[in-house]
Amino acid sequence: MIRNDAQPAAAHRTWWRAPLVTTLLGLPVLAWEYGWFRSHDGPGAFGGVLYWASGLLLLAWVLPRRRCPRGLRGAVAGAGLGCALLPLTFAILLGAAWGLSA
């Protein structure tokens, strides 16, 4: 019989910082984009990006709270924020390009 007397890894004290910051920045933008796309007959080509952003922001919260996945949690949270900001950034750049060409 195998005995495992090792103590479970303690939760990292600041595990919540990366998910909280990216959620506070990305969730309002994500909600605005979803409402805007919904009022214009659906998200179209950006539908996958909105779902990926939601999933990555959620995954940043549910990753283990130990110290070892700290970098992974930050990367997932950053990718979620990037996906949330992608449609808005694309719209701003497209508007700037049209403004310069006129």
Side-chain angles (χ1 to χ4, degrees):
M1 177 178 217
I2 299 174
R3 257 181 86 160
N4 186 4
D5 291 334
Q7 296 292 326
H12 189 249
R13 289 183 296 166
T14 59
W15 69 268
W16 49 269
R17 283 187 183 167
L20 180 66
V21 170
T22 55
T23 301
L24 288 177
L25 293 174
L27 198 59
V29 173
L30 199 59
W32 176 78
E33 288 171 346
Y34 183 75
W36 189 75
F37 283 130
R38 187 175 171 123
S39 69
H40 289 90
D41 295 331
F46 287 110
V49 174
L50 297 177
Y51 297 128
W52 270 98
S54 302
L56 287 170
L57 289 175
L58 178 67
L59 181 62
W61 281 103
V62 299
L63 281 173
R65 288 157 175 79
R66 297 185 309 267
R67 188 173 181 84
C68 62
R70 182 177 53 177
L72 178 62
R73 182 179 296 110
V76 168
L81 180 62
C83 286
L85 295 176
L86 182 67
L88 178 63
T89 305
F90 180 72
I92 289 172
L93 291 176
L94 190 60
W98 278 350
L100 291 176
S101 67

